[in-house]
Amino acid sequence: VIETQAGAQVYVLDDKGTVSRRTVSLAPTVSGYRVVKSGLKAGEKVVVRGQGRLRGGETVTVDTAPPGDVQPPATKTPTSSAD
């Protein structure tokens, strides 16, 4: 997800490998994951790495990870000190 003055945006990949930038609405984060509330259709492919180098209309090569290979972002566990 790319945060811009226009709101949250993502790059969506079409069946020819061309990306386009699209504005989406976000729901609250769940377990470290950004949740898209609206702006995408089921089954659409979204670029999750390298968005900073992309421009709309570019063609990309898809490098898919095996199912279950994607890990959630690391979360910090709160610690307390006994004073």
Side-chain angles (χ1 to χ4, degrees), residues 1-75:
V1 174
I2 304 159
E3 297 287 347
T4 71
Q5 290 180 346
Q9 298 183 332
V10 297
Y11 279 105
V12 180
L13 184 68
D14 70 14
D15 57 356
K16 295 180 183 177
T18 304
V19 295
S20 59
R21 202 167 186 171
R22 187 177 307 163
T23 300
V24 294
S25 295
L26 299 177
T29 301
V30 175
S31 299
Y33 288 102
R34 303 297 299 269
V35 178
V36 176
K37 181 170 43 173
S38 65
L40 292 174
K41 296 176 186 170
E44 286 187 306
K45 294 180 182 176
V46 176
V47 176
V48 296
R49 290 190 181 136
Q51 304 94 318
R53 298 182 300 249
L54 285 178
R55 301 293 173 256
E58 289 185 321
T59 302
V60 298
T61 302
V62 176
D63 181 18
T64 58
D69 194 39
V70 177
Q71 299 296 317
T75 57

